[in-house]
């Protein structure tokens, strides 16, 4: 099998898809870390008094949103093309 095809005629090799998945996951992890840092805030609040459950929920939401946004394209991969938007050049 040369590549995965979608209904729109998209053709992407396994290696290209793997690079896209890795880039999207790295971006999602970075987004989650940035969200956690923003929620934890400054040293004015004791770390033991933070609502860790709420922080985890917001971070998880940010990670999911980042992954969904990556479907539109990830700049780190082939000029930001999405695996759903890449057209088959050989047809």
């Amino acid at each position: 099998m040369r590549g995965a095809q979608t209904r729109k005629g998209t053709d992407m090799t396994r290696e290209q898809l793997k690079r896209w998945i890795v880039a999207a996951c790295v971006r999602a992890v970075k987004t989650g870390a940035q969200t956690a840092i923003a929620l934890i805030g400054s040293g004015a609040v004791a770390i033991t008094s933070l609502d860790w459950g709420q922080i985890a929920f917001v971070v998880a939401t940010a990670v999911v949103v980042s992954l969904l946004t990556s479907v539109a394209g990830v700049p780190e991969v082939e000029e930001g093309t999405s695996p759903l938007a890449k057209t088959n050049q050989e047809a």
Side-chain angles (χ1 to χ4, degrees):
M1 177 183 279
R2 202 174 67 74
Q5 287 195 327
T6 66
R7 287 179 278 160
K8 292 184 178 184
T10 303
D11 191 17
M12 179 173 253
T13 66
R14 281 190 156 156
E15 187 59 36
Q16 290 170 324
L17 184 60
K18 182 179 174 183
R19 283 195 313 264
W20 181 87
I21 289 171
V22 168
C25 289
V26 166
R27 179 174 272 241
V29 168
K30 287 180 180 182
T31 299
Q34 291 168 344
T35 302
I37 290 168
L39 292 172
I40 291 170
S42 67
V45 178
I47 198 149
T48 56
S49 66
L50 295 172
D51 184 354
W52 289 104
Q54 186 70 23
I55 290 173
F57 178 75
V58 174
V59 167
T61 302
V63 168
V64 169
V65 169
S66 176
L67 289 171
L68 292 173
T69 303
S70 292
V71 171
V74 180
E76 295 85 359
V77 180
E78 297 182 20
E79 300 174 7
T81 55
S82 167
L84 301 178
K86 187 172 174 125
T87 59
N88 187 350
Q89 299 295 325
E90 296 176 14

